[in-house]
Amino acid sequence: MGAATGRNNRARVLRAALPCLALIALSGTAAQAQTVTPDLFSSRRASQVTSPDSPLRRTSAEVNDPLASPKLQDDEKRAPSRIGQIPKYGLPAASGAADSGYDSLNRKRKKPKYYPAQARPKPPVGPGSPPPPIASNTPLRLSIPPSESANKTRLAPAMAGTVVGQPPRKRLRIDDDPFGAVGDYAGSFLIKSAVELSGGYDTNPGRLVPAQAKPFYVIAPEFLAVSDWERHALVADLRGSFTGYGSSLTPNADGTPLSAPLDIDRPNFIGHVDGRLDVSRDTRLMAQGRLFLSTDNPGSPNVQAGMAKYPIYTTVGTTTGVDQTFNRLQVSAGATVDRTDYTNSRLTDGTSTTNDDRNFNQYGGIGRVSYDLKPGIKPFVEVQGDSRVHDVKLDRSGFARDSSGGYVKGGTSFEFSRLLTGEIAVGYAARDYVDPRLNRLEGLLVSSSLVWTATPLTTARFYSDTTITETTLPGTSGVLTHIYTVEVDHDFRRWLTAIGKFTWGSLDYQGNPRRDKIYTLSGEALYKMNRNLWLRGTLRRDWLDSNLPGNSTASTVVMLGVRVQN
């Protein structure tokens, strides 16, 4: 039973297989096996290889299917394996910084862009914020006065510059002198003017032995005009004074003439007009016109005995030159012409004598070379030469006064932290005369102008100068004069200033045994009521010490005055 059943099953399989084999043999087509590729198990759609005529090819709808996008398929790739990789912890530098935020790598960030007229936000006050810009011509203050932090009247937003969208206001220059003259503008010129009226008492105005005291008054006008141009410059500085006494001096009882005039009124004027023409950045043409008017100093041996009034002399001159800069090297050269004229001397007997022998013309030149060694230090060398030609060949004593001479000096100008500024120079001056009987006039030349700001309230100044002047003394070549001055100013308040001054000097009459020394000690108090009105008080003591007997004098001056300025 079991064996029969097995034979029946095998017979059925053979009967089914034989027709299939016959069909394959008759078709004549070889059967091909499907190739297994790496894409066989890929997750991509229709990734298996198919023939072009296969009914299993992708249709156009399937090609445009958004789910079949290559980008989307790339995003579905597996993450790279971390097996065997070194682990990294934390966040990379500046991974969370914005375009304008803080970057620990100090990379440049994009600056925000603003549309026109949009208000720019102000940087916060504190470390890292730049300070407000300061104008180049603004002086550096040594300390902040208490008034800067005091409670002040509030300003309108338009004046304070806090209105949104308002252009920034120009930074005003710090006023060094809050009680100084403001002046007025006339076109492009700033004009300042002032007049000072003073009255006082002088114990010996004529420098006589014995002394005669007199009250006096002084009228001193001033005028200053300064151009306000981007290029070129023009400055006019005119200052004068007139000292008058209520009465004349008393003649000697024995009839001998006084060594001083009876009328001791004295005018004084000094003025100059300076011009600069900027040809280029490094080339400038310079010019100056000057006028000096005065009299001989009281007690001078040039004052004739028995005069009724001081003779007045004037010096008119001009200087023209050029100033050239070669990088740090600066070269200046100029020509000078001056004319000195004396009026006739009026005597007490009503007659007059001429002073034509004291009139002369002076022609000369001056040159200066300086080098900007470093900021604040500028050494220089200066040379000057001139020739004096008198109107009269022989003076009243029969001496030929025509001469030629000059000086050479070297020094430096400096500025140390604005605490010590100025210029100092030392040199040699000499003058030779046509008359062989007049010895050569020569000596050491010292010239300086120093300003030391000891404290914000105290300033010290030092001046020195050396001059060679003419004289009428017989056999005397000239006078070599050295003058030194020390001045200390102290501000108790901005409106109250005390000034102390000491001056000493020597007058060397070469060719003459006379030697004079002068000393002056003075103190002043200046009360500034406002910008237009000042009050001044002065106490001064003068000494003239001469090696010749009968020529030493002393005088005390007390003076009170008021100054009106604009």
Side-chain angles (χ1 to χ4, degrees), residues 401-414:
R401 292 284 177 179
D402 291 350
S403 63
S404 60
Y407 66 81
V408 56
K409 65 179 180 179
T412 181
S413 58
F414 48 83

PDB file of all heavy atoms in Angstrom, residues 401-414:
ATOM      1  N   ARG A 401      81.069 158.292  14.917  1.00  0.00           N
ATOM      2  CA  ARG A 401      80.274 157.234  15.541  1.00  0.00           C
ATOM      3  C   ARG A 401      79.819 156.135  14.577  1.00  0.00           C
ATOM      4  O   ARG A 401      79.150 155.191  15.014  1.00  0.00           O
ATOM      5  CB  ARG A 401      79.029 157.848  16.198  1.00  0.00           C
ATOM      6  CG  ARG A 401      79.330 158.729  17.399  1.00  0.00           C
ATOM      7  CD  ARG A 401      79.678 157.900  18.603  1.00  0.00           C
ATOM      8  NE  ARG A 401      80.045 158.689  19.763  1.00  0.00           N
ATOM      9  CZ  ARG A 401      80.380 158.168  20.947  1.00  0.00           C
ATOM     10  NH1 ARG A 401      80.394 156.847  21.086  1.00  0.00           N
ATOM     11  NH2 ARG A 401      80.714 158.944  21.945  1.00  0.00           N
ATOM     12  N   ASP A 402      80.162 156.228  13.309  1.00  0.00           N
ATOM     13  CA  ASP A 402      79.761 155.165  12.387  1.00  0.00           C
ATOM     14  C   ASP A 402      80.412 153.848  12.825  1.00  0.00           C
ATOM     15  O   ASP A 402      81.594 153.816  13.241  1.00  0.00           O
ATOM     16  CB  ASP A 402      80.176 155.502  10.963  1.00  0.00           C
ATOM     17  CG  ASP A 402      79.381 156.666  10.398  1.00  0.00           C
ATOM     18  OD1 ASP A 402      78.391 157.070  11.046  1.00  0.00           O
ATOM     19  OD2 ASP A 402      79.759 157.188   9.331  1.00  0.00           O
ATOM     20  N   SER A 403      79.650 152.754  12.705  1.00  0.00           N
ATOM     21  CA  SER A 403      80.148 151.470  13.202  1.00  0.00           C
ATOM     22  C   SER A 403      79.485 150.322  12.448  1.00  0.00           C
ATOM     23  O   SER A 403      78.504 150.500  11.718  1.00  0.00           O
ATOM     24  CB  SER A 403      79.873 151.332  14.701  1.00  0.00           C
ATOM     25  OG  SER A 403      78.478 151.337  14.946  1.00  0.00           O
ATOM     26  N   SER A 404      80.029 149.146  12.661  1.00  0.00           N
ATOM     27  CA  SER A 404      79.460 147.909  12.140  1.00  0.00           C
ATOM     28  C   SER A 404      79.667 146.820  13.184  1.00  0.00           C
ATOM     29  O   SER A 404      80.672 146.818  13.912  1.00  0.00           O
ATOM     30  CB  SER A 404      80.115 147.502  10.817  1.00  0.00           C
ATOM     31  OG  SER A 404      81.506 147.288  10.998  1.00  0.00           O
ATOM     32  N   GLY A 405      78.734 145.918  13.249  1.00  0.00           N
ATOM     33  CA  GLY A 405      78.824 144.874  14.264  1.00  0.00           C
ATOM     34  C   GLY A 405      77.713 143.858  14.100  1.00  0.00           C
ATOM     35  O   GLY A 405      77.013 143.818  13.088  1.00  0.00           O
ATOM     36  N   GLY A 406      77.535 143.067  15.121  1.00  0.00           N
ATOM     37  CA  GLY A 406      76.518 142.026  15.094  1.00  0.00           C
ATOM     38  C   GLY A 406      76.703 141.064  16.239  1.00  0.00           C
ATOM     39  O   GLY A 406      77.418 141.340  17.216  1.00  0.00           O
ATOM     40  N   TYR A 407      76.089 139.925  16.104  1.00  0.00           N
ATOM     41  CA  TYR A 407      76.184 138.909  17.153  1.00  0.00           C
ATOM     42  C   TYR A 407      75.976 137.538  16.524  1.00  0.00           C
ATOM     43  O   TYR A 407      75.457 137.389  15.419  1.00  0.00           O
ATOM     44  CB  TYR A 407      75.161 139.144  18.261  1.00  0.00           C
ATOM     45  CG  TYR A 407      73.720 138.985  17.836  1.00  0.00           C
ATOM     46  CD1 TYR A 407      73.115 137.736  17.733  1.00  0.00           C
ATOM     47  CD2 TYR A 407      72.942 140.107  17.531  1.00  0.00           C
ATOM     48  CE1 TYR A 407      71.806 137.584  17.338  1.00  0.00           C
ATOM     49  CE2 TYR A 407      71.616 139.962  17.139  1.00  0.00           C
ATOM     50  CZ  TYR A 407      71.055 138.706  17.055  1.00  0.00           C
ATOM     51  OH  TYR A 407      69.747 138.555  16.658  1.00  0.00           O
ATOM     52  N   VAL A 408      76.388 136.525  17.278  1.00  0.00           N
ATOM     53  CA  VAL A 408      76.124 135.135  16.946  1.00  0.00           C
ATOM     54  C   VAL A 408      75.754 134.438  18.245  1.00  0.00           C
ATOM     55  O   VAL A 408      76.398 134.653  19.280  1.00  0.00           O
ATOM     56  CB  VAL A 408      77.356 134.462  16.279  1.00  0.00           C
ATOM     57  CG1 VAL A 408      78.592 134.570  17.154  1.00  0.00           C
ATOM     58  CG2 VAL A 408      77.055 133.001  15.959  1.00  0.00           C
ATOM     59  N   LYS A 409      74.706 133.638  18.199  1.00  0.00           N
ATOM     60  CA  LYS A 409      74.246 132.950  19.396  1.00  0.00           C
ATOM     61  C   LYS A 409      73.651 131.605  19.010  1.00  0.00           C
ATOM     62  O   LYS A 409      73.181 131.409  17.884  1.00  0.00           O
ATOM     63  CB  LYS A 409      73.225 133.780  20.164  1.00  0.00           C
ATOM     64  CG  LYS A 409      71.919 134.023  19.427  1.00  0.00           C
ATOM     65  CD  LYS A 409      70.959 134.851  20.280  1.00  0.00           C
ATOM     66  CE  LYS A 409      69.640 135.091  19.549  1.00  0.00           C
ATOM     67  NZ  LYS A 409      68.693 135.882  20.376  1.00  0.00           N
ATOM     68  N   GLY A 410      73.706 130.712  19.957  1.00  0.00           N
ATOM     69  CA  GLY A 410      73.138 129.389  19.768  1.00  0.00           C
ATOM     70  C   GLY A 410      72.375 128.957  20.995  1.00  0.00           C
ATOM     71  O   GLY A 410      72.739 129.297  22.132  1.00  0.00           O
ATOM     72  N   GLY A 411      71.329 128.218  20.782  1.00  0.00           N
ATOM     73  CA  GLY A 411      70.499 127.780  21.907  1.00  0.00           C
ATOM     74  C   GLY A 411      69.458 126.789  21.439  1.00  0.00           C
ATOM     75  O   GLY A 411      69.609 126.126  20.399  1.00  0.00           O
ATOM     76  N   THR A 412      68.407 126.717  22.182  1.00  0.00           N
ATOM     77  CA  THR A 412      67.333 125.789  21.850  1.00  0.00           C
ATOM     78  C   THR A 412      66.024 126.304  22.399  1.00  0.00           C
ATOM     79  O   THR A 412      65.998 127.014  23.414  1.00  0.00           O
ATOM     80  CB  THR A 412      67.625 124.386  22.419  1.00  0.00           C
ATOM     81  OG1 THR A 412      66.570 123.500  22.057  1.00  0.00           O
ATOM     82  CG2 THR A 412      67.727 124.424  23.931  1.00  0.00           C
ATOM     83  N   SER A 413      64.965 125.953  21.725  1.00  0.00           N
ATOM     84  CA  SER A 413      63.611 126.154  22.239  1.00  0.00           C
ATOM     85  C   SER A 413      63.085 124.796  22.666  1.00  0.00           C
ATOM     86  O   SER A 413      63.409 123.774  22.040  1.00  0.00           O
ATOM     87  CB  SER A 413      62.700 126.770  21.178  1.00  0.00           C
ATOM     88  OG  SER A 413      62.643 125.949  20.032  1.00  0.00           O
ATOM     89  N   PHE A 414      62.320 124.749  23.717  1.00  0.00           N
ATOM     90  CA  PHE A 414      61.887 123.458  24.250  1.00  0.00           C
ATOM     91  C   PHE A 414      60.501 123.586  24.854  1.00  0.00           C
ATOM     92  O   PHE A 414      60.014 124.678  25.160  1.00  0.00           O
ATOM     93  CB  PHE A 414      62.888 122.934  25.294  1.00  0.00           C
ATOM     94  CG  PHE A 414      63.288 123.957  26.322  1.00  0.00           C
ATOM     95  CD1 PHE A 414      62.515 124.202  27.435  1.00  0.00           C
ATOM     96  CD2 PHE A 414      64.453 124.681  26.158  1.00  0.00           C
ATOM     97  CE1 PHE A 414      62.872 125.153  28.356  1.00  0.00           C
ATOM     98  CE2 PHE A 414      64.822 125.638  27.087  1.00  0.00           C
ATOM     99  CZ  PHE A 414      64.029 125.866  28.192  1.00  0.00           C
TER     100      PHE A 414
END
